Amino acid sequence: MLVCSLVLLVAVAAVRISSRSGLPSLLLYLGIGIALGQDGFFDVKFDNAELTQVIGYAALVVILAEGGLGTKWKEVKPALPAAVMLSLVGVGISVGVTAAGAHYLVGLEWRQALIIGAVVSSTDAAAVFSVLRKVPLPARVTGVLEAESGFNDAPVVILVVAFSTVGEVDSWYVLIGEIALELAIGAAVGIAVGWLGSWGLRHVALPASGLYPIAVMAIAVSAYAAGAMLHGSGFLAVYLASMILGNAKLPHWPATRGFADGLGWLAQIGMFVLLGLLVTPHDLLDDFWPAVVVGLVLTVVARPLEVFISLLPFRLPWQEKALMSWAGLRGAVPIILATIPMVSGIEGSTRVFNIVFVLVIVYTLIQGPTLPWLAKALNIKDDPSEASDLGIESAPLERLRGHLLSVAIPAKSKMHGVEVGELRMPAGAAVTLVVRDDKSFVPAPSTVLRRGDELLVVATDPVRDAAEARLRAVAEGGKLAGWLGTPGGHPTGHEDLTGPHVAGALKAVKKLGRADEAKKRDSAKRENAKRLAAKREAAGREAQQHDTKAHH
């Protein structure tokens, strides 16, 4: 328990350091795992690559779901074709160039070289999301990079599994067919699950607001499970489903977004710490320079070729292509994929894992902090004409020292027929919105409330209880609740009527009410009589005009 508590404390501190320094958080979490594992302070022995792979896949599902929920469709939509080209054509170019460099420059066998080429060709969603959202870049650049990180996991996983299979590797055209089929199935499943899930959450009222974040994450995980069971790309399915959910204007969205963000951080921490435990630090020294060479080929040759060739059909400035070439961040995904050949028992798989581990650490340490500098050097800035997201809905009311009360008027409530001004809310509380027949509007003091209305009431902290008591009183006693002695129902400035005054007050109120009703009935009769007389007079004039025309 003490060790777990220390890990959590250090992880929280790592989040703070990461957010301030601009470094991807994976470096800090991997450091925690290495410090706990072999050659570390606690010397924990852990070498279960299969368990690491399973937990890594689960964490990646959560990270992709969190990234999809935070992806804005208006930014990704124009960047979608470019992201698809990078995820398909670009991955093929990167695998081929990197594998050739690993074979001819480092001396690895072709199978090992192809595995490394495939493993490091996947950009990491967690690293991309954590770094790019802190760098002010144009929406089309961040849209391409974020969508690419969500899409390219699928073809890379297929290639790594194919290269890690004992025996002959399938022909290239068979691999292309498998990739196309799995991507199509994953996309179809993700779109279907996301649309059905968003429709259901908008039309089915859950009994508690805290269930909506759980339901959203459950739908995202279901998309992955359904895609995998149908032999499609579960990673693509969960990303697309989450993107649809994130742009569907679901109820209680701020709470859902915060819940997903917290789960994403937890998944990153657990995944990176576990990967740090799996590695043996003293074994990394022999593979340090091979990793540097392979990383140099990937970063300086393969990635630029991938970007410039894949994006030839798109009219993008060369400065943005250069930035995208440098922003192909690697993270935990390549390290997780490097466990696949270890589980399959491929010869030399431990060395492949070590090379990938060192490559990710070294080049993430270089690329992450220098990305803002490169954007400034290339004069690439965020478009100031684009409206910035103020994030108003995510501001907690606790910071404003206020409360948001949601009130539904049931069928038998005596609040029906009461005007908003007649609620006589205490000073510091107000009805800000009324939702009626699926339409919302800002009420006026004369707005009459009806059965089935939903009210949003904002109340400051000191009068929160008084506002709730007043609403309950009006619901039970109507507009005269305070005068009739309803508990908690009297408006501020009036005292309760108690003791012998109650009977007299009730009689007086009832008498005034009967007199008022009689006046209303008499007034209505006079208005009806006037309308009938006006109609008879108009009918007489029309008849007289008709007789005059007939005579002439």
Tab-separated table of all heavy atoms in Angstrom, residues 294-326:
chain	number	residue	atom	x	y	z
A	294	VAL	N	18.371	3.786	-36.094
A	294	VAL	CA	17.036	3.502	-36.646
A	294	VAL	C	16.128	4.719	-36.467
A	294	VAL	O	15.363	5.085	-37.380
A	294	VAL	CB	16.425	2.258	-35.968
A	294	VAL	CG1	14.986	2.060	-36.423
A	294	VAL	CG2	17.249	1.025	-36.273
A	295	GLY	N	16.207	5.359	-35.321
A	295	GLY	CA	15.402	6.554	-35.095
A	295	GLY	C	15.763	7.686	-36.018
A	295	GLY	O	14.895	8.460	-36.459
A	296	LEU	N	17.039	7.816	-36.343
A	296	LEU	CA	17.470	8.860	-37.270
A	296	LEU	C	16.897	8.615	-38.663
A	296	LEU	O	16.434	9.539	-39.335
A	296	LEU	CB	18.998	8.900	-37.311
A	296	LEU	CG	19.645	10.138	-37.917
A	296	LEU	CD1	19.295	11.373	-37.100
A	296	LEU	CD2	21.156	9.966	-38.005
A	297	VAL	N	16.935	7.349	-39.105
A	297	VAL	CA	16.343	7.009	-40.406
A	297	VAL	C	14.848	7.306	-40.404
A	297	VAL	O	14.302	7.868	-41.364
A	297	VAL	CB	16.604	5.526	-40.739
A	297	VAL	CG1	15.843	5.116	-41.996
A	297	VAL	CG2	18.101	5.267	-40.900
A	298	LEU	N	14.185	6.935	-39.309
A	298	LEU	CA	12.740	7.164	-39.214
A	298	LEU	C	12.402	8.641	-39.224
A	298	LEU	O	11.497	9.086	-39.958
A	298	LEU	CB	12.211	6.509	-37.928
A	298	LEU	CG	10.762	6.810	-37.552
A	298	LEU	CD1	9.812	6.198	-38.556
A	298	LEU	CD2	10.457	6.320	-36.141
A	299	THR	N	13.127	9.433	-38.434
A	299	THR	CA	12.772	10.840	-38.239
A	299	THR	C	13.203	11.722	-39.395
A	299	THR	O	12.460	12.633	-39.799
A	299	THR	CB	13.407	11.359	-36.928
A	299	THR	OG1	13.044	10.490	-35.854
A	299	THR	CG2	12.942	12.759	-36.626
A	300	VAL	N	14.391	11.457	-39.948
A	300	VAL	CA	14.956	12.355	-40.956
A	300	VAL	C	14.603	11.930	-42.378
A	300	VAL	O	14.492	12.764	-43.282
A	300	VAL	CB	16.492	12.447	-40.781
A	300	VAL	CG1	17.103	13.358	-41.831
A	300	VAL	CG2	16.833	12.951	-39.384
A	301	VAL	N	14.394	10.623	-42.586
A	301	VAL	CA	14.151	10.133	-43.947
A	301	VAL	C	12.730	9.612	-44.113
A	301	VAL	O	11.963	10.092	-44.965
A	301	VAL	CB	15.169	9.022	-44.317
A	301	VAL	CG1	14.929	8.565	-45.752
A	301	VAL	CG2	16.596	9.522	-44.142
A	302	ALA	N	12.353	8.607	-43.321
A	302	ALA	CA	11.076	7.918	-43.528
A	302	ALA	C	9.880	8.833	-43.291
A	302	ALA	O	8.968	8.906	-44.130
A	302	ALA	CB	11.000	6.689	-42.611
A	303	ARG	N	9.862	9.529	-42.178
A	303	ARG	CA	8.702	10.377	-41.864
A	303	ARG	C	8.539	11.523	-42.860
A	303	ARG	O	7.415	11.758	-43.339
A	303	ARG	CB	8.825	10.913	-40.438
A	303	ARG	CG	7.716	11.869	-40.016
A	303	ARG	CD	6.365	11.197	-39.945
A	303	ARG	NE	5.326	12.156	-39.554
A	303	ARG	CZ	4.053	11.862	-39.421
A	303	ARG	NH1	3.629	10.626	-39.647
A	303	ARG	NH2	3.176	12.778	-39.073
A	304	PRO	N	9.584	12.269	-43.224
A	304	PRO	CA	9.387	13.304	-44.248
A	304	PRO	C	8.903	12.744	-45.581
A	304	PRO	O	8.026	13.344	-46.218
A	304	PRO	CB	10.781	13.934	-44.374
A	304	PRO	CG	11.414	13.707	-43.048
A	304	PRO	CD	10.935	12.363	-42.613
A	305	LEU	N	9.494	11.594	-46.031
A	305	LEU	CA	9.004	10.991	-47.272
A	305	LEU	C	7.538	10.601	-47.142
A	305	LEU	O	6.739	10.809	-48.073
A	305	LEU	CB	9.849	9.763	-47.620
A	305	LEU	CG	11.245	10.018	-48.190
A	305	LEU	CD1	11.980	8.698	-48.389
A	305	LEU	CD2	11.153	10.774	-49.513
A	306	GLU	N	7.176	10.031	-45.997
A	306	GLU	CA	5.788	9.635	-45.756
A	306	GLU	C	4.847	10.827	-45.887
A	306	GLU	O	3.794	10.746	-46.548
A	306	GLU	CB	5.684	9.026	-44.354
A	306	GLU	CG	4.271	8.789	-43.861
A	306	GLU	CD	4.234	8.393	-42.398
A	306	GLU	OE1	5.316	8.200	-41.797
A	306	GLU	OE2	3.126	8.276	-41.850
A	307	VAL	N	5.211	11.938	-45.271
A	307	VAL	CA	4.334	13.111	-45.269
A	307	VAL	C	4.265	13.755	-46.645
A	307	VAL	O	3.177	14.014	-47.180
A	307	VAL	CB	4.817	14.126	-44.213
A	307	VAL	CG1	4.046	15.439	-44.334
A	307	VAL	CG2	4.642	13.552	-42.808
A	308	PHE	N	5.417	14.018	-47.260
A	308	PHE	CA	5.417	14.762	-48.525
A	308	PHE	C	4.809	13.953	-49.660
A	308	PHE	O	4.110	14.513	-50.516
A	308	PHE	CB	6.847	15.196	-48.864
A	308	PHE	CG	7.278	16.446	-48.149
A	308	PHE	CD1	7.803	16.379	-46.861
A	308	PHE	CD2	7.144	17.684	-48.746
A	308	PHE	CE1	8.194	17.527	-46.190
A	308	PHE	CE2	7.541	18.840	-48.088
A	308	PHE	CZ	8.061	18.765	-46.798
A	309	ILE	N	5.041	12.637	-49.701
A	309	ILE	CA	4.457	11.818	-50.769
A	309	ILE	C	2.963	11.617	-50.544
A	309	ILE	O	2.159	11.730	-51.479
A	309	ILE	CB	5.193	10.467	-50.866
A	309	ILE	CG1	6.642	10.684	-51.309
A	309	ILE	CG2	4.472	9.534	-51.838
A	309	ILE	CD1	7.457	9.404	-51.361
A	310	SER	N	2.557	11.318	-49.305
A	310	SER	CA	1.138	11.067	-49.030
A	310	SER	C	0.287	12.306	-49.242
A	310	SER	O	-0.883	12.200	-49.636
A	310	SER	CB	0.961	10.568	-47.597
A	310	SER	OG	1.670	9.373	-47.380
A	311	LEU	N	0.847	13.470	-48.977
A	311	LEU	CA	0.067	14.704	-49.065
A	311	LEU	C	0.260	15.441	-50.386
A	311	LEU	O	-0.106	16.619	-50.500
A	311	LEU	CB	0.439	15.624	-47.893
A	311	LEU	CG	0.189	15.056	-46.488
A	311	LEU	CD1	0.536	16.088	-45.433
A	311	LEU	CD2	-1.248	14.594	-46.330
A	312	LEU	N	0.817	14.762	-51.390
A	312	LEU	CA	0.956	15.397	-52.710
A	312	LEU	C	-0.380	15.854	-53.293
A	312	LEU	O	-0.457	16.926	-53.897
A	312	LEU	CB	1.651	14.427	-53.676
A	312	LEU	CG	3.181	14.370	-53.629
A	312	LEU	CD1	3.701	13.320	-54.598
A	312	LEU	CD2	3.775	15.737	-53.955
A	313	PRO	N	-1.470	15.075	-53.144
A	313	PRO	CA	-2.746	15.534	-53.723
A	313	PRO	C	-3.348	16.739	-53.015
A	313	PRO	O	-4.321	17.309	-53.517
A	313	PRO	CB	-3.658	14.306	-53.569
A	313	PRO	CG	-2.749	13.143	-53.340
A	313	PRO	CD	-1.583	13.704	-52.619
A	314	PHE	N	-2.815	17.124	-51.877
A	314	PHE	CA	-3.412	18.202	-51.093
A	314	PHE	C	-2.518	19.438	-51.155
A	314	PHE	O	-1.298	19.352	-51.051
A	314	PHE	CB	-3.594	17.762	-49.635
A	314	PHE	CG	-4.329	16.463	-49.494
A	314	PHE	CD1	-3.620	15.271	-49.341
A	314	PHE	CD2	-5.714	16.420	-49.541
A	314	PHE	CE1	-4.278	14.064	-49.227
A	314	PHE	CE2	-6.381	15.223	-49.421
A	314	PHE	CZ	-5.672	14.041	-49.277
A	315	ARG	N	-3.155	20.565	-51.306
A	315	ARG	CA	-2.425	21.821	-51.432
A	315	ARG	C	-2.126	22.375	-50.045
A	315	ARG	O	-2.844	23.242	-49.521
A	315	ARG	CB	-3.230	22.815	-52.251
A	315	ARG	CG	-3.462	22.370	-53.698
A	315	ARG	CD	-4.288	23.394	-54.462
A	315	ARG	NE	-4.494	22.988	-55.849
A	315	ARG	CZ	-5.214	23.676	-56.740
A	315	ARG	NH1	-5.782	24.821	-56.362
A	315	ARG	NH2	-5.362	23.230	-57.970
A	316	LEU	N	-1.079	21.877	-49.459
A	316	LEU	CA	-0.646	22.345	-48.146
A	316	LEU	C	0.717	23.012	-48.286
A	316	LEU	O	1.568	22.544	-49.049
A	316	LEU	CB	-0.550	21.179	-47.158
A	316	LEU	CG	-1.863	20.483	-46.792
A	316	LEU	CD1	-1.583	19.289	-45.885
A	316	LEU	CD2	-2.812	21.448	-46.108
A	317	PRO	N	0.980	24.093	-47.580
A	317	PRO	CA	2.290	24.749	-47.653
A	317	PRO	C	3.396	23.803	-47.176
A	317	PRO	O	3.173	22.948	-46.311
A	317	PRO	CB	2.137	25.945	-46.705
A	317	PRO	CG	0.671	26.160	-46.567
A	317	PRO	CD	0.047	24.814	-46.698
A	318	TRP	N	4.582	23.983	-47.726
A	318	TRP	CA	5.681	23.092	-47.357
A	318	TRP	C	6.049	23.270	-45.883
A	318	TRP	O	6.543	22.335	-45.249
A	318	TRP	CB	6.904	23.364	-48.240
A	318	TRP	CG	7.584	24.686	-47.975
A	318	TRP	CD1	7.360	25.874	-48.598
A	318	TRP	CD2	8.605	24.932	-46.993
A	318	TRP	NE1	8.165	26.855	-48.075
A	318	TRP	CE2	8.953	26.296	-47.098
A	318	TRP	CE3	9.269	24.143	-46.060
A	318	TRP	CZ2	9.918	26.892	-46.286
A	318	TRP	CZ3	10.235	24.733	-45.251
A	318	TRP	CH2	10.550	26.079	-45.367
A	319	GLN	N	5.794	24.469	-45.333
A	319	GLN	CA	6.098	24.671	-43.921
A	319	GLN	C	5.240	23.758	-43.036
A	319	GLN	O	5.731	23.183	-42.057
A	319	GLN	CB	5.855	26.139	-43.525
A	319	GLN	CG	6.795	27.120	-44.203
A	319	GLN	CD	6.225	27.661	-45.495
A	319	GLN	OE1	5.367	27.040	-46.114
A	319	GLN	NE2	6.700	28.830	-45.895
A	320	GLU	N	3.964	23.615	-43.381
A	320	GLU	CA	3.087	22.750	-42.596
A	320	GLU	C	3.476	21.282	-42.763
A	320	GLU	O	3.407	20.503	-41.803
A	320	GLU	CB	1.629	22.971	-43.003
A	320	GLU	CG	1.111	24.363	-42.645
A	320	GLU	CD	-0.356	24.528	-42.955
A	320	GLU	OE1	-0.979	23.543	-43.428
A	320	GLU	OE2	-0.905	25.632	-42.731
A	321	LYS	N	3.889	20.897	-43.964
A	321	LYS	CA	4.346	19.519	-44.169
A	321	LYS	C	5.614	19.247	-43.368
A	321	LYS	O	5.785	18.149	-42.815
A	321	LYS	CB	4.582	19.266	-45.655
A	321	LYS	CG	3.320	19.277	-46.496
A	321	LYS	CD	3.632	18.997	-47.954
A	321	LYS	CE	2.379	19.022	-48.810
A	321	LYS	NZ	2.672	18.769	-50.245
A	322	ALA	N	6.505	20.242	-43.329
A	322	ALA	CA	7.728	20.062	-42.542
A	322	ALA	C	7.410	19.906	-41.060
A	322	ALA	O	8.005	19.075	-40.358
A	322	ALA	CB	8.666	21.253	-42.766
A	323	LEU	N	6.454	20.689	-40.567
A	323	LEU	CA	6.067	20.567	-39.166
A	323	LEU	C	5.428	19.208	-38.889
A	323	LEU	O	5.700	18.575	-37.856
A	323	LEU	CB	5.107	21.688	-38.793
A	323	LEU	CG	4.702	21.735	-37.319
A	323	LEU	CD1	5.897	22.095	-36.454
A	323	LEU	CD2	3.570	22.728	-37.099
A	324	MET	N	4.579	18.742	-39.797
A	324	MET	CA	3.966	17.419	-39.628
A	324	MET	C	5.019	16.314	-39.641
A	324	MET	O	4.875	15.302	-38.945
A	324	MET	CB	2.938	17.165	-40.738
A	324	MET	CG	1.702	18.034	-40.669
A	324	MET	SD	0.549	17.612	-42.004
A	324	MET	CE	-0.606	18.983	-41.884
A	325	SER	N	6.072	16.509	-40.415
A	325	SER	CA	7.142	15.516	-40.445
A	325	SER	C	7.825	15.412	-39.091
A	325	SER	O	8.172	14.313	-38.643
A	325	SER	CB	8.173	15.887	-41.517
A	325	SER	OG	7.577	15.950	-42.792
A	326	TRP	N	8.005	16.551	-38.424
A	326	TRP	CA	8.675	16.536	-37.128
A	326	TRP	C	7.711	16.158	-35.996
A	326	TRP	O	8.136	15.733	-34.934
A	326	TRP	CB	9.278	17.910	-36.855
A	326	TRP	CG	10.194	17.962	-35.670
A	326	TRP	CD1	9.968	18.590	-34.488
A	326	TRP	CD2	11.488	17.352	-35.551
A	326	TRP	NE1	11.038	18.427	-33.636
A	326	TRP	CE2	11.990	17.658	-34.279
A	326	TRP	CE3	12.269	16.566	-36.402
A	326	TRP	CZ2	13.231	17.222	-33.821
A	326	TRP	CZ3	13.509	16.138	-35.956
A	326	TRP	CH2	13.967	16.458	-34.686
